[in-house]
Amino acid sequence: MALLARDDTGLRFRTDQGVLVLTLWGDRILRVTMLREGAERTPDVALVGAPARVAWTLDEQADRYLIATPAMRASVDRRTGAVALLGGDGKPLIAEANLERRKLGGAPDAEGAVRMLFTLPEGRAVYGLGQHQTGLLDYRGSIVRLQQANTDVGVPVLVSPAGFGLFWNNASVTEVAVDTPQAGGRALFRSSAGEGVDYFLFAGPDVDQVIGAYRQLTGAASLLPRWAWGLWQSKERYASQAELLGVAAEYRRLGIPLDAVVQDWQYWPAGRWGSHEMDPSRYPDPKGMLDALHRHNLHSIVSVWPRLDVGLENTRALEAIGGLYPRTYPNVYPAGQGRWYDAFSAKARALYWRQISERLGRAGFDGYWLDGSEAELGGQWGEMAEVNTALGAGALVYNAYPLLHTTAVRDGMAAEYPAKRPLLLTRSAWAGQQRNGAFTWSGDVSGRWDVFARQIPAGVNFSMTGNPFWSADIGGFFGGSPRDPAYQELFTRWLQFAVFNPMFRIHGTGEGKEVYSFPEAVRGPLLDAVALRYRLLPFVYAQSWQVATHGASFLYPAGMVFPNDAKAQDLRDQYLFGRGLLVSPVIEPGATARAVYLPAGTEWIDFWTGARHAGGATLQVAAPIGQIPVQVAAGTILPLGSPVQYADQSPDRPIELRVYRGADGRFTLYDDAGDGQGWQRGERATIDLVLNDKAGTLTIGARAGRYPGMAKTRRFRVVTVAPGTGVGLAEAPGREVVYDGKQQVVAL
């Protein structure tokens, strides 16, 4: 191996297999590519920007080249060219296996696949790789197939509690074998197509540093409108304007908080799928419908597909610019045939958006539900590999379709409707999609207990791909009746879990699952769950700011926040919401208690009782039908808002600051206008809260920033949590503080 060149961004080497290039994209980001001479890479659809200017050094040692930035060290073996990311102790965190580099390098194998072996730290978990329905959290000992399908989302990003992340920059169908006999106890990436090896390494050690580096590379997560964090009511499907408005009116009449009613598919006239028209016989005044919702502080999104009926004017217009795939595909459901647009074409994306905007956008919809975004085509998963796209063979760009599809609508909405933050719901995702303001939901899953249990690791692993926006249909898409006692229990437990999800959306086929559709005798726990979600809004909105600006997530595996606790690495039915709330959903019918493992390294306080327990222990925790077990880490400052009917009612209402003593802590309250792009112009305000446990004080810092409509004063009630005080949904006694924007120190 020979060093060919060095410049400000990295190094180039000549090896027996081709040219090895190391590029520094940031002080925690290293790109590694191995291409044969003359080979060209597939377009980098996931990446944004260019390599940042990084201060780095090169130490040419006898057996290796050592590269160092202020936050990362990596090495290249002089003999084999194997690259390794090093930890603080100088040992490899992840390293190319020398034999694989020497034998294969960037060349395809005998079947045309691109592959690479990596050694991983022994006994450390591997998370990420998208959203899968296997029930696995730690992927050691398993093979994961990354291929988009309904309920299965492939994203070639992984992280580890060892303190690193990896993005395998290949959008073709990929298999990842982690610590299996086939991988020789290592991690094997094998992609079905590609011209060479191309991947990125991210250095931590903290998970937010790793994911923050990934988003620096692929795009910051969007800041979503405040209403997005409230309750969404959906159904397959509200069949008329009157029905949809009736649902909204009934929620408001009963005083059940609600922020959105969703219009699912088949609102179009017969034979007009893809026209983006609303059938005038059932929806006589779409704009009037949206105006009525908005007057009641409600919002709506509408389902659109990348699929169009044959012969429509929209279909012909897309075909005229080469924006459709040639084949006509049979529908998965209902019977029929249709064409699919090429989201890899910039011209097709722009036209597709214009067609949506001319009818649905001008009616006033607040966002779009991009269904079938894998793309579904004829429902035979694998068909995308057979088409030629505007960016090359479908086999090469296979998994990236949902990224480009969401980009079409996100970019169009941002440009044409700047008063609304882009907000999408989509069934599939790929690397970088966090920048498009798109919630990915887990697809058309069934309303069963075993399926419910699998949603927990599915969502947590999806979050560890750097995309924080995830949800599952509350209660499951298929099956379930509000009149069935067995389903009532499942729905209650699923709703409680969803309180601690990014998106809070009820959906399903068959009978409507509106909260008021359940018998009054069993409705109490449902109302309590909705009330808890709305009281959590100040916490959720503040966390969304950390997500958008600081590499944070909503869902974390306990093993990533407590990396030194071996028992915490594979908690499949527990997770952290933010970094301080340990959530343990009830996933068995009839259960009134469950075992809860408390990660070592902190003390934990029961949200419902205030009881304190040391970490590193397993407890049997009470879980009556109205309660989901939640433990709060010592040092947490948890803001709980006042009861409200909709999210935008909350900003100037009193906030209870629950203080969980036992360690120092910090939290930043965040607020802005709730929608629009003013926050990007600096129209926002933050208040730093600091707990000094030894001194027994909570400092409410001086407010930084302002925004139009901001209340000059706020009311806080500071509550020190103890057994029986400051627990559950009860309003707790505490010290009242009138805050005028100046720093105040409150004795606890």
Side-chain angles (χ1 to χ4, degrees):
M1 189 179 77
L3 177 61
L4 290 177
R6 170 184 176 177
D7 58 25
D8 290 344
T9 62
L11 304 166
R12 293 170 60 86
F13 300 90
R14 172 168 284 115
T15 73
D16 291 342
Q17 296 82 30
V19 178
L20 170 65
V21 182
L22 275 63
T23 310
L24 293 156
W25 278 66
D27 62 359
R28 297 183 185 274
I29 309 170
L30 178 67
R31 184 179 200 173
V32 180
T33 60
M34 169 68 84
L35 297 174
R36 298 186 306 281
E37 294 278 6
E40 295 184 4
R41 286 199 302 263
T42 304
D44 287 326
V45 294
L47 311 187
V48 296
R53 293 188 64 85
V54 179
W56 64 282
T57 60
L58 177 64
D59 183 6
E60 299 190 40
Q61 300 178 355
D63 59 345
R64 65 179 183 174
Y65 296 93
L66 185 63
I67 302 151
T69 75
M72 174 178 63
R73 288 196 298 168
S75 67
V76 184
D77 188 288
R78 279 183 174 268
R79 183 175 61 88
T80 65
V83 178
L85 181 68
L86 308 178
D89 58 3
K91 296 179 180 178
L93 296 174
I94 181 171
E96 295 176 346
N98 290 357
L99 179 64
E100 191 73 8
R101 165 68 81 193
R102 190 162 61 244
K103 290 181 69 175
L104 296 172
D109 65 15
E111 297 176 356
V114 176
R115 43 191 280 155
M116 178 60 69
L117 262 177
F118 298 93
T119 58
L120 302 173
E122 186 175 349
R124 305 308 293 267
V126 170
Y127 308 122
L129 299 178
Q131 174 219 264
H132 306 285
Q133 298 291 331
T134 59
L136 298 177
L137 179 64
D138 178 6
Y139 282 119
R140 287 179 302 171
S142 64
I143 299 174
V144 186
R145 185 171 176 83
L146 308 184
Q147 177 177 317
Q148 313 299 24
N150 186 354
T151 76
D152 211 55
V153 179
V155 185
V157 176
L158 62 79
V159 299
S160 170
F164 70 88
L166 182 148
F167 165 37
W168 178 257
N169 188 22
N170 187 310
S172 69
V173 175
T174 298
E175 287 190 343
V176 186
V178 184
D179 200 9
T180 64
Q182 298 93 326
R186 293 165 288 187
L188 171 64
F189 281 75
R190 185 180 185 276
S191 293
S192 63
E195 287 298 326
V197 169
D198 185 0
Y199 67 91
F200 291 82
L201 297 172
F202 308 102
D206 186 79
V207 57
D208 289 355
Q209 293 170 327
V210 171
I211 288 179
Y214 167 76
R215 293 186 190 150
Q216 179 184 336
L217 176 75
T218 61
S222 301
L223 185 71
L224 302 183
R226 193 192 330 266
W227 66 265
W229 308 112
L231 176 64
W232 300 49
Q233 180 61 58
S234 182
K235 177 189 174 183
E236 196 277 315
R237 56 191 165 87
Y238 297 126
S240 70
Q241 177 173 330
E243 184 181 9
L244 188 146
L245 289 176
V247 170
E250 188 66 1
Y251 267 94
R252 285 289 183 258
R253 186 185 73 82
L254 294 171
I256 303 172
L258 184 70
D259 269 273
V261 186
V262 180
Q263 178 60 61
D264 201 352
W265 68 338
Q266 298 189 55
Y267 53 83
W268 46 78
R272 302 285 292 170
W273 190 350
S275 67
H276 311 305
E277 299 168 322
M278 304 198 80
D279 184 350
S281 68
R282 295 179 291 128
Y283 302 86
D285 184 7
K287 186 178 186 304
M289 177 180 74
L290 273 297
D291 288 345
L293 289 176
H294 293 156
R295 284 195 299 272
H296 290 90
N297 300 290
L298 289 165
H299 299 79
S300 186
I301 69 169
V302 60
S303 172
V304 294
W305 291 64
R307 173 234 178 268
L308 304 91
D309 275 338
V310 177
L312 296 179
E313 58 273 25
N314 284 353
T315 312
R316 292 195 300 270
L318 281 162
E319 184 150 42
I321 64 166
L324 294 178
Y325 297 132
R327 182 178 164 190
T328 299
Y329 292 91
N331 292 343
V332 173
Y333 180 85
Q337 292 186 320
R339 302 286 298 278
W340 292 72
Y341 95 104
D342 184 1
F344 295 100
S345 162
K347 287 183 178 180
R349 290 196 301 272
L351 178 55
Y352 177 79
W353 163 253
R354 286 200 301 275
Q355 293 173 347
I356 291 172
S357 180
E358 285 173 1
R359 290 195 169 113
L360 300 173
R362 292 177 186 175
F365 280 102
D366 302 291
Y368 299 92
W369 177 358
L370 308 185
D371 211 339
S373 59
E374 296 81 10
E376 186 177 65
L377 301 180
Q380 304 298 315
W381 308 115
E383 292 169 302
M384 180 60 71
E386 302 167 3
V387 305
N388 288 317
T389 78
L391 288 183
L396 280 171
V397 297
Y398 190 104
N399 283 325
Y401 188 95
L403 170 66
L404 278 299
H405 182 40
T406 56
T407 297
V409 182
R410 184 268 170 207
D411 287 356
M413 190 175 177
E416 199 166 340
Y417 301 98
K420 296 181 179 183
R421 295 176 194 166
L423 179 61
L424 309 176
L425 176 64
T426 182
R427 203 169 69 184
S428 195
W430 199 62
Q433 201 158 302
Q434 72 279 351
R435 65 185 185 243
N436 288 339
F439 283 105
T440 300
W441 96 97
S442 62
D444 299 339
V445 299
S446 295
R448 303 197 316 261
W449 285 96
D450 61 326
V451 175
F452 168 42
R454 292 198 291 269
Q455 302 315 296
I456 301 169
V460 172
N461 269 323
F462 182 77
S463 185
M464 288 297 98
T465 66
N467 192 330
F469 304 125
W470 180 86
S471 76
D473 292 344
I474 295 172
F477 178 71
F478 291 112
S481 167
R483 293 175 285 107
D484 176 6
Y487 183 73
Q488 292 163 5
E489 182 187 8
L490 171 64
F491 185 89
T492 300
R493 293 306 195 184
W494 205 318
L495 185 71
Q496 291 168 347
F497 161 61
V499 168
F500 300 94
N501 284 185
M503 190 185 213
F504 191 46
R505 171 176 168 263
I506 297 170
H507 184 58
T509 193
E511 296 182 51
K513 298 171 186 174
E514 300 82 12
V515 173
Y516 59 76
S517 297
F518 288 80
E520 201 165 347
V522 301
R523 203 182 297 167
L526 307 183
L527 297 174
D528 285 347
V530 174
L532 178 56
R533 173 65 175 214
Y534 275 82
R535 293 206 63 196
L536 283 166
L537 282 177
F539 168 81
V540 174
Y541 201 52
Q543 187 68 13
S544 78
W545 165 249
Q546 297 296 322
V547 165
T549 58
H550 291 94
S553 301
F554 293 103
L555 308 180
Y556 292 89
M560 287 302 294
V561 179
F562 298 92
N564 297 319
D565 184 349
K567 291 184 179 179
Q569 292 199 36
D570 197 20
L571 297 178
R572 300 180 185 185
D573 60 356
Q574 297 179 240
Y575 64 98
L576 289 160
F577 189 58
R579 295 178 67 121
L581 302 181
L582 180 68
V583 183
S584 306
V586 178
I587 57 173
E588 295 181 356
T592 57
R594 63 151 292 170
V596 172
Y597 177 73
L598 304 177
T602 188
E603 195 174 25
W604 296 92
I605 301 93
D606 191 295
F607 176 80
W608 300 103
T609 69
R612 305 177 76 92
H613 300 279
T618 299
L619 305 178
Q620 196 71 13
V621 176
I625 190 61
Q627 290 181 196
I628 177 174
V630 178
Q631 313 294 322
V632 187
T636 296
I637 305 164
L638 180 63
L640 294 178
S642 299
V644 293
Q645 288 294 293
Y646 56 93
D648 274 323
Q649 197 177 17
S650 65
D652 58 354
R653 301 229 170 168
I655 289 179
E656 182 179 307
L657 301 176
R658 291 195 179 176
V659 180
Y660 295 82
R661 295 191 62 179
D664 291 342
R666 301 182 65 92
F667 189 86
T668 300
L669 283 172
Y670 173 80
D671 225 332
D672 59 24
D675 209 343
Q677 301 307 316
W679 71 276
Q680 292 185 315
R681 300 188 296 269
E683 296 173 4
R684 56 183 187 261
T686 57
I687 302 171
D688 287 336
L689 309 174
V690 179
L691 167 61
N692 185 322
D693 193 55
K694 184 177 181 181
T697 60
L698 176 71
T699 299
I700 304 175
R703 182 164 46 208
R706 60 179 299 105
Y707 58 91
M710 183 182 77
K712 293 182 179 179
T713 61
R714 299 295 306 271
R715 290 187 176 273
F716 298 117
R717 186 170 62 255
V718 179
V719 176
T720 303
V721 176
T725 303
V727 296
L729 283 169
E731 183 175 301
R735 182 168 177 179
E736 301 289 337
V737 176
V738 178
Y739 175 76
D740 63 1
K742 298 183 179 65
Q743 177 176 302
Q744 295 192 41
V745 179
V746 182
L748 300 174

